[in-house]
Amino acid sequence: MIDFKKELNSEQYEIVQQGDGYVLVLAGAGSGKTRVITYRVAYLLEKSIAPSAILLLTFTNKAAKEMLTRVEKLMGEKVKGLWSGTFHSVASRVLRVEANAIGFEKNFTIMDQDDAEVLLKHCLQEEGLDTKSKKTPAASTLLSMVSYARNTELPLDEVIELKYPRFMAFTDALKSVAERYKREKRRANVMDFDDLLTYWLELLEDHEAIRNKWAEQFKYILVDEFQDTNKLQAKIVRLLAETNKNLFVVGDDAQSIYSFRAADIHNILNFPKEFVGAKTFKLEINYRSSPEILLLANGVISQNKKQFKKTLKAHHASNVKPHVMGHMTPAQEAQYIVQKVARSASAGRPLASMAALFRSAFAARALEMELVKNNIPYEFRGGMRFFDRAHIKDVLGFLRIISNHKDRMAWLRVLPLQPGIGHETARTLVERIMVQGDLEAALQSIANVSLPARARTGWDNMMSIIQEMKKRGSHPSGFIEGIAKSAYADYLKDMFENYEDRLGDLEQLAQFASHAKSTKDFLDSATLDDAYGSKDKVGNTRDRLILSTIHQAKGLEWDTVFVINLVNGAFPNERALSEAGGEEEERRLFYVAVTRAQRELFLTY
């Protein structure tokens, strides 16, 4: 038997004991919400509730596995039959049983994102849209549009106007593409991730017998991270809980930071109104951070109007106040952070106990460069490392052909970027280049070849980029500056909404290359140094500083945290501030960032 009163604090014990009915648990950062959920499940099992009558919904497979492992440890045995998993994985299990009711075969295939994009690209072509045109949304962009529309239950044309106004001229065509995409999926007996939720909800709303069957089975429903649910997920749990009326949701409105994924904070804010008679509990004892850090966190989040008021109380003893440091340039900011990290590492503190957090991956580029210069290994989370980004690899490709004109892979990377040159034409050109003695001879050999008009335009474009590079001497930093002023910059402007961030990356790359002795040395370093863009090998336990977006850091903690680039327009984000509810979400994002810190917190700009 588990001694719940001994193993839980008073707040947690009360929740576990009184968790029947409609229950909202407001779990502040670091307050032990996972402990509450796992002990609540164990409590139900000790009360002889059948595992198959318990449904535990999470947002990651990792969280589901961790909770089940903890429950089994508490029970001292394997727990078989408990329904535990993400919304999507549980939806898949239900649909495998009930697919025929909505016109699918039970052996339907679940498409991953790549498969979905391939099918959408086909649908774009079938509807007569030019998928090679820079004005037409890419399949990945359209998939994001359709996904957001479905998870918010907004019409697609409204989503385009709200989130993708540059594509408004294509609204009718894109609506036709979305309808074709839906038909093609059904015809092929396949579903994408959003279909899993959509069709699960359809089963519950439109098929009373099926709804009753599952609602009767799940006598107790528990939902983790309820503040991250979207409209579909909230409707699903409400319908499943109608029969037994035992719905136990845990979340923190102050950590609702995923509206861009269609998460709806109103699901948690309106829970007491939606479920009349619901009990609300608060977990306010924080087992992570110092009182000084919590004083800052409480003060910041108190400015939000749409929230449940709560005050985090520290379990740990007093420590140093958070540090605020301003700098004249991003480079100086990066130098300050690296100095602090190096000093802590020299004192014996593991790099992995420290993290630098940022609003977007582009904010970390100066810090990445400084870490590389100082040979400090790091792990990048929530985006691509600097040297893994496509535009950086493009620029390195241009440098590689200057350094070695027979670098086949470099040519095959940069040539298809030029208008009118496809992969077949690129391969043909490369075969001619490979037999030439040097770069000048290679360029001249193509100049003398008869090419189709569009391909000739593309080659002339390529030549103009090389000429811009050579105008600036023979040093890699000059080459990169030339690329940033060439037709390649026009390509970035035409292809990417965040082209300014990408051009900023090229500026940072040029500054970093200024320390290299030669182009060859620079390329060797970029390829061979483990601190650059190489992927970590499985099982690599090397100590590394953590660089992470704040979104990716949610749920994690470190001894020391640097929240960087706290510059107006960057964080808080200018675009987010222009959206409804954006200011409060930016404040919640900052709250999540500072509550990752256990002992020391640095706020820099």
Side-chain angles (χ1 to χ4, degrees), residues 108-172:
F108 64 85
T109 301
I110 300 173
M111 297 190 297
D112 62 18
Q113 182 159 330
D114 288 342
D115 293 333
E117 288 178 13
V118 168
L119 180 55
L120 260 177
K121 186 173 182 179
H122 166 75
C123 294
L124 281 163
Q125 292 168 338
E126 288 295 309
E127 289 293 327
L129 291 171
D130 183 2
T131 56
K132 294 182 180 180
S133 170
K134 296 171 183 176
K135 295 181 180 179
T136 306
S140 58
T141 303
L142 180 54
L143 184 62
S144 296
M145 291 182 197
V146 173
S147 177
Y148 189 84
R150 298 179 73 187
N151 286 296
T152 56
E153 296 190 317
L154 290 173
L156 184 58
D157 51 0
E158 191 172 325
V159 169
I160 294 172
E161 183 178 359
L162 181 68
K163 296 276 187 182
Y164 304 90
R166 65 191 183 280
F167 296 125
M168 285 178 63
F170 294 92
T171 296
D172 290 340

Side-chain angles (χ1 to χ4, degrees), residues 384 386-401 407-419 421-423 426-427 430 433 462 465 488 491-492 496 502:
M384 284 191 176
F386 188 82
F387 282 91
D388 285 337
R389 295 170 193 170
H391 50 291
I392 298 300
K393 286 183 174 291
D394 291 344
V395 171
L396 294 179
F398 287 116
L399 266 64
R400 284 163 58 187
I401 64 175
D407 189 332
R408 179 189 297 269
M409 296 310 298
W411 281 108
L412 290 176
R413 181 176 189 94
V414 300
L415 280 174
L417 300 176
Q418 315 311 318
I421 298 181
H423 291 284
R427 277 191 283 269
V430 169
I433 289 168
M462 180 73 201
I465 295 172
Y488 181 72
Y491 160 78
L492 292 178
F496 303 103
R502 292 171 187 257

Side-chain angles (χ1 to χ4, degrees), residues 164-216:
Y164 304 90
R166 65 191 183 280
F167 296 125
M168 285 178 63
F170 294 92
T171 296
D172 290 340
L174 295 179
K175 287 169 68 176
S176 297
V177 171
E179 286 300 318
R180 180 182 286 272
Y181 176 59
K182 183 177 179 180
R183 293 195 303 271
E184 292 290 341
K185 285 186 293 181
R186 185 174 287 275
R187 190 173 74 166
N189 195 39
V190 299
M191 296 186 192
D192 62 22
F193 290 144
D194 295 322
D195 288 326
L196 296 173
L197 296 183
T198 300
Y199 289 127
W200 188 11
L201 179 58
E202 183 180 319
L203 280 171
L204 298 175
E205 287 185 328
D206 299 345
H207 301 269
E208 185 178 1
I210 292 174
R211 177 175 71 246
N212 291 339
K213 167 186 165 184
W214 292 99
E216 287 170 8

Side-chain angles (χ1 to χ4, degrees), residues 268-312:
I268 191 168
L269 293 179
N270 294 336
F271 189 91
K273 297 177 185 176
E274 175 125 6
F275 299 96
V276 179
K279 292 176 280 189
T280 300
F281 298 94
K282 294 181 181 180
L283 289 172
E284 296 179 300
I285 300 175
N286 177 283
Y287 293 91
R288 176 185 299 152
S289 306
S290 70
E292 290 78 9
I293 292 171
L294 295 184
L295 182 64
L296 169 64
N298 288 330
V300 168
I301 203 63
S302 68
Q303 302 303 308
N304 274 5
K305 295 178 181 178
K306 292 183 178 180
Q307 65 165 314
F308 292 105
K309 293 288 185 182
K310 52 189 172 298
T311 302
L312 294 180

